[in-house]
Amino acid sequence: MNVITDNLGMIGHGLATTLTIAVIGFVSALAVGTLIAVFRVSPIPPLRALGSVWVAVACNIPTLCLMILAAFAAPRAGVPLSLFAAAVTAIVFSASGFVCETVRSGINSVPKGQIEAARALGMPFGLIIAAVVLPQALARTIQPLVNIFIACLIGSSLAAAIGVPELTNVTQQLNLRYAQAVITFLTSGLSYLAIAFLATKLGGLLERRIGGREARV
């Protein structure tokens, strides 16, 4: 255990970096993916086509490949990115495809009668989406979105491959220094598990609160 107790600061910094990558990646992916979901249900064919292509690419290229391309190919193309930014960019792009499909399923679950009523009132498409459809769609997809956050958390460990000093990278460094793979990787794994467990519990609590509020309404 001395390997852990003697390096708590290093482990804490790695854990903080992991959480930062996961949170920024998820929040950004939620924004981008929601926009792409709106494109996919848009009455404008080019936007629907763009949404379809985005999802096809984002969901079918491994996140590690995206990280390597963002870290090493983007600078050669004149887009300089730090290793941290490359990791976040890859996670945002990859997760946005899954967010899009999740939100789109929520959009499709909204009763069409509400949409027709909004149209009858003369509301434009953008306002219908923002005021009527998306609030209900997001409320109905909380747990799937939590699962995507957990995927972002786990995916952040891939940043170790490009040299970002997050939790897995720190674990590898400690293992190389002390040759104690079991305790170092067990600690790392339990940290990921604890964060995922907490996220699941918070998602369930939020889902119950929203469900209870809708029931009262």
Side-chain angles (χ1 to χ4, degrees), residues 1-11 170-185 187:
M1 289 299 295
N2 289 340
V3 176
I4 303 303
T5 56
D6 292 346
N7 295 279
L8 284 177
M10 186 177 179
I11 294 171
V170 168
T171 303
Q172 292 172 339
Q173 293 181 45
L174 292 176
N175 180 45
L176 290 173
R177 186 183 306 172
Y178 297 99
Q180 293 289 341
V182 174
I183 187 62
T184 53
F185 281 95
T187 301

